[in-house]
Amino acid sequence: MVEKSHKHVSCESCAVRTNSLFAHFTPDEVSELNHHKSCQFYKKNQTIFVEGSFPRGVFCINHGKVKVYALGDEGKEQIVHIAKAGEVIGFRAMLSGEQYKLSASTLEDSNVCFVSKDDFLNMMDTNASLRNSLIQELSKELGERAIFITNLAQKTVRERLAYSLMILADIYGDEPINLSREDLANFVGTATETLIRLLKDMKEEGFIDTQTRKIFILKREELIQLAGGHR
Amino acid sequence: MVEKSHKHVSCESCAVRTNSLFAHFTPDEVSELNHHKSCQFYKKNQTIFVEGSFPRGVFCINHGKVKVYALGDEGKEQIVHIAKAGEVIGFRAMLSGEQYKLSASTLEDSNVCFVSKDDFLNMMDTNASLRNSLIQELSKELGERAIFITNLAQKTVRERLAYSLMILADIYGDEPINLSREDLANFVGTATETLIRLLKDMKEEGFIDTQTRKIFILKREELIQLAGGHR
DNA sequence: CAGAAAAGCTGACGCACATCATTTTTTGCA
DNA sequence: TGCAAAAAATGATGTGCGTCAGCTTTTCTG
């Protein structure tokens, strides 16, 4: 499980850079970024960083998906975010100068690049566009979490599941949603058994279809309704 | 209820500035800030900004306390943050360029200063220390909300109440906690009746004392225990 | 300071969801 | 390809907490 390998990808040719924090970089800045970063291949279910440790830099997902989660008192994961290719993770704790409050691990085989704290902070000093993107990103996530909190506090599990499926559909794009039932339960914030039952209901109602792990959205509009509207 | 009056306070003499976003300003910067800001007095339960509207600037609390909350589908408030004197609120939506996702209103008579969007963004451009404070603040709040989410998903109401009381004790400092039962319930994320019952239990157990609205913490350590440890 | 309105409190009741236990299916690896 | 382990599914059972309804105390306002 600790098996890692390197597989260099250049930032210049990185297809997903265009929707990352680095989207608005000039060619020179991209080349500088490329020079400073390193790449690592992570197999499915490998850990990228762990709650409690100190950040040494940020991680940019070149390929794959990553769950970002907190561990509750009884060791149960609460997934707070699922990051896809193009996203940069791990900057929050680095910027606030704290230990990680969350852990991150891969949901599938992934290629992840690393930029050290010094290099990243240097870029932030000299690059106003990076700063702005970052502030925007922090603000956006902060808003999303406020909604997440309200949903958790006020919606039923069924509504939250519908809501979560909509978020996941965005993340997975054309592909079917592909998560273990446990991960999905930990994203929705419920017990795995409850999640399985509700998923079954929704399948019987024709809202979704499932093939083992894979979930297909069949009735998008109805699910949005169920989720209590889009916010 | 729409009664407002003005009561100018100069930033130079503002005692709470030292723990605000503007803490590290030079005298010149403080004077510039003072020149650009306006002051307003809000009576208890007046609204400062409302979910769905567009931000025109940020609010700096000179005196008083403010609840920041989302409205759930059935109109129930979920309080996400309680801001005290010195805090700046309303910058999240402004920075992400979105509508407010949250509303804010006063919990007690308060004095609140306003800095327009243009002025604030100008300051951000020219003032690196403000930028850094802001990024730190955003990052810190983002971390806090991750914990909030995990607590909501995994802890019992009783545990969350204990946790919330600890947070509120920090906010209220020497004074007793002074919130309506409804607001407290909306902060904990539960029904008002449930909150009242649990509060009664804790009083009988000797953890707290109550005098009408006021709550006194009697056994801090035990409450931290109950909350499932400090995170 | 009186009367109304709002906030606080209490009890009864039901159900959404957690937990535990067991079986079935899928996955991963030798 | 076959077997062990992990994941998924199903059933049975209990309970934490929400909801509703009625009562009491506090607060607000003229």
Side-chain angles (χ1 to χ4, degrees):
Chain A
M1 269 300 179
V2 195
E3 182 186 327
K4 288 178 188 174
S5 70
H6 294 259
K7 178 173 148 192
H8 192 83
V9 191
S10 87
C11 298
E12 280 91 346
S13 66
C14 175
V16 297
R17 209 197 69 242
T18 43
N19 53 316
S20 79
L21 278 183
F22 311 116
H24 305 299
F25 271 30
T26 64
D28 276 2
E29 290 165 346
V30 174
S31 129
E32 192 203 337
L33 174 65
N34 187 53
H35 182 255
H36 284 304
K37 76 133 200 300
S38 59
C39 292
Q40 278 223 0
F41 179 78
Y42 292 78
K43 288 179 67 171
K44 183 177 176 173
N45 288 325
Q46 279 192 293
T47 299
I48 298 178
F49 58 80
V50 158
E51 189 173 333
S53 63
F54 278 97
R56 302 173 185 280
V58 301
F59 301 88
C60 183
I61 304 171
N62 167 64
H63 177 81
K65 295 196 174 47
V66 174
K67 64 176 171 185
V68 184
Y69 57 95
L71 284 173
D73 298 331
E74 262 95 70
K76 186 177 166 71
E77 294 179 4
Q78 176 60 44
I79 298 181
V80 166
H81 183 70
I82 293 179
K84 60 174 194 286
E87 285 191 60
V88 177
I89 60 172
F91 53 84
R92 202 234 28 109
M94 196 187 79
L95 293 171
S96 67
E98 302 168 310
Q99 298 161 293
Y100 286 117
K101 286 202 162 51
L102 302 173
S103 308
S105 53
T106 51
L107 289 167
E108 47 191 69
D109 290 357
S110 302
N111 209 37
V112 179
C113 303
F114 175 81
V115 181
S116 79
K117 183 170 176 173
D118 285 351
D119 289 337
F120 192 84
L121 292 181
N122 271 335
M123 283 192 286
M124 268 187 53
D125 273 345
T126 55
N127 190 327
S129 109
L130 174 60
R131 276 202 306 266
N132 289 333
S133 303
L134 194 94
I135 288 175
Q136 282 235 347
E137 181 59 29
L138 284 166
S139 302
K140 214 186 96 226
E141 282 190 37
L142 204 51
E144 285 167 7
R145 285 196 194 167
I147 293 174
F148 205 123
I149 286 171
T150 311
N151 285 348
L152 265 175
Q154 303 195 2
K155 291 190 199 258
T156 64
V157 176
R158 184 173 155 90
E159 288 166 337
R160 263 147 51 202
L161 171 55
Y163 191 82
S164 300
L165 287 174
M166 291 301 94
I167 293 175
L168 289 167
D170 282 347
I171 294 171
Y172 280 85
D174 304 328
E175 304 162 43
I177 296 165
N178 192 345
L179 273 179
S180 75
R181 296 293 133 109
E182 191 180 358
D183 280 336
L184 185 49
N186 290 342
F187 187 48
V188 173
T190 188
T192 309
E193 296 92 325
T194 302
L195 178 110
I196 289 171
R197 280 183 256 262
L198 292 175
L199 220 46
K200 187 190 172 197
D201 291 347
M202 287 189 180
K203 186 177 181 178
E204 283 169 358
E205 291 164 295
F207 293 153
I208 59 170
D209 194 18
T210 62
Q211 283 171 27
T212 67
R213 276 170 64 110
K214 287 178 184 132
I215 300 172
F216 302 84
I217 306 295
L218 300 182
K219 298 191 179 167
R220 193 160 189 288
E221 287 310 316
E222 285 84 342
L223 281 172
I224 292 176
Q225 276 293 322
L226 220 175
H230 234 357
R231 318 194 75 218
Chain B
M1 270 303 178
V2 195
E3 181 186 329
K4 287 178 188 173
S5 70
H6 294 258
K7 176 174 146 192
H8 191 83
V9 191
S10 87
C11 298
E12 281 91 346
S13 66
C14 176
V16 297
R17 211 198 69 239
T18 42
N19 53 316
S20 81
L21 278 184
F22 310 117
H24 304 299
F25 271 31
T26 65
D28 277 2
E29 289 164 347
V30 173
S31 130
E32 193 202 337
L33 173 64
N34 187 52
H35 182 253
H36 284 307
K37 75 132 198 303
S38 59
C39 292
Q40 279 224 359
F41 178 79
Y42 292 79
K43 287 180 65 173
K44 183 175 177 175
N45 288 325
Q46 279 193 292
T47 299
I48 298 178
F49 59 80
V50 158
E51 189 174 334
S53 63
F54 279 97
R56 301 172 185 281
V58 301
F59 301 88
C60 183
I61 304 171
N62 167 63
H63 177 82
K65 295 195 174 47
V66 173
K67 64 177 171 184
V68 184
Y69 57 95
L71 284 173
D73 298 332
E74 263 96 70
K76 187 178 164 70
E77 294 179 4
Q78 175 60 43
I79 298 181
V80 166
H81 183 70
I82 293 179
K84 62 172 190 288
E87 286 192 59
V88 177
I89 61 172
F91 54 84
R92 201 233 30 104
M94 196 187 80
L95 293 170
S96 67
E98 302 168 309
Q99 297 160 291
Y100 287 116
K101 287 200 162 52
L102 301 173
S103 308
S105 51
T106 50
L107 289 167
E108 47 193 69
D109 290 358
S110 301
N111 209 38
V112 179
C113 303
F114 176 80
V115 181
S116 79
K117 183 170 174 172
D118 285 352
D119 289 336
F120 192 85
L121 293 181
N122 271 335
M123 283 192 285
M124 268 186 55
D125 273 346
T126 54
N127 188 329
S129 107
L130 174 61
R131 276 202 307 266
N132 289 334
S133 303
L134 194 94
I135 289 175
Q136 281 233 350
E137 182 60 28
L138 285 165
S139 302
K140 214 187 94 223
E141 283 190 35
L142 205 52
E144 285 167 7
R145 285 196 194 167
I147 293 174
F148 204 123
I149 287 170
T150 311
N151 285 347
L152 265 175
Q154 302 194 4
K155 294 192 196 239
T156 63
V157 176
R158 184 173 153 90
E159 289 165 336
R160 264 147 50 203
L161 171 55
Y163 190 83
S164 300
L165 287 175
M166 291 301 94
I167 294 174
L168 289 168
D170 281 348
I171 294 172
Y172 281 84
D174 304 327
E175 303 162 45
I177 297 166
N178 191 345
L179 271 180
S180 75
R181 298 291 133 109
E182 190 179 358
D183 281 336
L184 185 50
N186 291 341
F187 186 49
V188 173
T190 188
T192 308
E193 296 92 326
T194 302
L195 177 109
I196 289 172
R197 280 184 257 262
L198 292 175
L199 220 47
K200 187 190 170 196
D201 291 348
M202 288 188 179
K203 186 176 180 176
E204 283 169 358
E205 291 164 297
F207 293 153
I208 59 170
D209 193 18
T210 61
Q211 283 171 25
T212 67
R213 275 169 66 110
K214 288 179 183 133
I215 300 172
F216 301 84
I217 307 295
L218 299 183
K219 298 193 180 167
R220 193 158 188 287
E221 288 309 316
E222 285 84 343
L223 282 172
I224 292 175
Q225 277 294 322
L226 219 176
H230 234 357
R231 314 196 77 217

